[in-house]
Amino acid sequence: MSIIRQMTLVHIYTDGACRGNPGPGGWAAILVTEADGKKIEKELSGGEKLTTNNRMELTAAIKGLAALKYRCKVVLTSDSKYLCDAVNLGWAKSWQKRGWIKSDKKPALNPDLWERLLELLDAHDVETVWVRGHAGHEYNERCDALATAMADSFKD
C-alpha cells in the first residue's frame, strides 16, 4: 500500500513597480494557502536602487516561488503580460533553447532572471494567470502598494 501526499495549493500574487524605467524599483509577492481550515498569508517585498519594471515583475515571481519549502500546486497571478505571455505561450523556454535569443534574432532581456524562474516553475506545478492591473483585484492592489512603497524607499 502506498501513501500519496496531496500537493498543497498555494496562490501567489505578484507585482513589480519602477519609478522611471530604469529607476528605483520594488517587487512584492503575497502567498496564500490554507492549513487546518485557516487561511494563511505571507507578504514578501524588496527592491533595487536601479532596475526596470520587467526585472521587478520577474523578481516578484521568483521570490514568491522560492519561498516554497516543498513541491506545491501553485496559481501564480500577475498583472505582467510580459511574464504571463512568456510563460504561457512558451516564449521563455524557446528563448532558453536558442541561447537566450528571441525569434527575431535579438537577445532576450533578463536571461538571468528567466533562467531562475524557469527552474522554479519546473520545481512546482504552476498555473500562471494574468489579471488587469489597477482594476480592484484585492491582492494585486496590495502587491502594488507594497512594491511601490519599496520603489519609493530608494528615492533621495
Side-chain angles (χ1 to χ4, degrees), residues 107-121:
L109 299 177
N110 309 308
D112 57 329
L113 296 177
W114 280 116
E115 192 76 47
R116 180 66 178 131
L117 182 58
L118 290 176
E119 289 171 6
L120 290 164
L121 291 172

Side-chain angles (χ1 to χ4, degrees), residues 44-148:
L44 307 170
S45 62
E48 296 178 22
K49 189 169 184 139
L50 185 63
T51 189
T52 66
N53 190 70
N54 283 341
R55 288 189 68 81
M56 292 294 91
E57 295 284 1
L58 293 173
T59 299
I62 289 166
K63 296 293 190 176
L65 289 166
L68 301 173
K69 295 184 180 359
Y70 52 87
R71 184 171 171 79
C72 296
K73 167 114 181 88
V74 177
V75 178
L76 176 66
T77 302
S78 172
D79 64 5
S80 171
K81 290 290 275 177
Y82 172 66
L83 168 66
C84 293
D85 285 352
V87 171
N88 292 335
L89 300 176
W91 301 343
K93 285 192 175 185
S94 293
W95 301 335
Q96 184 184 43
K97 285 179 188 169
R98 288 193 296 265
W100 300 107
I101 302 297
K102 300 186 301 181
S103 60
D104 65 4
K105 309 293 185 224
K106 294 180 181 174
L109 299 177
N110 309 308
D112 57 329
L113 296 177
W114 280 116
E115 192 76 47
R116 180 66 178 131
L117 182 58
L118 290 176
E119 289 171 6
L120 290 164
L121 291 172
D122 285 344
H124 301 282
D125 178 7
V126 182
E127 174 188 357
T128 307
V129 177
W130 178 79
V131 294
R132 183 173 306 282
H134 311 286
H137 184 285
E138 175 192 357
Y139 287 105
N140 180 258
E141 297 292 341
R142 280 176 54 191
C143 283
D144 179 68
L146 290 166
T148 55

Side-chain angles (χ1 to χ4, degrees), residues 17-19 24-27 46-48 146-155:
C18 209
R19 300 297 195 200
W27 60 266
E48 296 178 22
L146 290 166
T148 55
M150 287 303 303
D152 288 344
S153 74
F154 291 99
K155 287 180 167 181

